[in-house]
Amino acid sequence: EGQRKPVCVISAGETTVTLRGDGKGGRNQEMALATAVAMSRDANLRYQSHTQVVFMSAGTDGQDGPTDAAGALADPGQVTRADEQGLAATEFLENNDAYNFYKSTDGGQGLVTTGLTGTNVMDIQILTVCGQRDSNL
């Protein structure tokens, strides 16, 4: 039937953030929010309901910046859902306020909270792309 196989891309390392605002968050939450904004601008991702894309960036130590979250999840519809809640994702991003964006959007479900893990290997990013039939990944 020509169905594509699911894909999972894993990367690691620590990014940097250029501080422009006075918001709250860490580098992983900022990376996830920047990814959500980029995905929202891609018409192929926004309108292909047969494809599921999820991105996660989180710190292995369980803490990202001065927050209780290790990082955050992003998906192509996240920015639209935030807009529907009266939240402008790009404004949060420009203010380095990813934590409050994620805390306020979708009931905070986009925040990755693990608690402190006692290890600090590095940050990890995971991108999954699969069709609806493969969404059990």
Side-chain angles (χ1 to χ4, degrees), residues 91-103:
E91 290 178 16
F92 282 88
L93 187 59
E94 290 168 3
N95 193 36
N96 302 108
D97 201 15
Y99 178 80
N100 286 312
F101 172 83
Y102 280 107
K103 190 171 183 179

Side-chain angles (χ1 to χ4, degrees), residues 9 11 14 18 26 36 47 52 61 66-67 84-85 89 95 119 124 126 132:
V9 178
S11 66
E14 296 188 354
T18 302
Y47 300 113
Q52 183 179 18
D61 61 356
T67 73
E84 292 167 354
Q85 296 173 49
N95 193 36
T119 64
I124 186 168
I126 301 173
Q132 282 186 336

Side-chain angles (χ1 to χ4, degrees), residues 41-83:
R41 293 177 178 158
D42 186 322
N44 290 323
L45 291 175
R46 280 198 326 259
Y47 300 113
Q48 288 189 13
S49 61
H50 62 277
T51 302
Q52 183 179 18
V53 179
V54 179
F55 174 79
M56 182 205 72
S57 186
T60 57
D61 61 356
Q63 185 173 18
D64 187 34
T67 73
D68 60 350
L73 299 165
D75 68 74
Q78 198 168 50
V79 170
T80 300
R81 294 191 307 276
D83 285 343

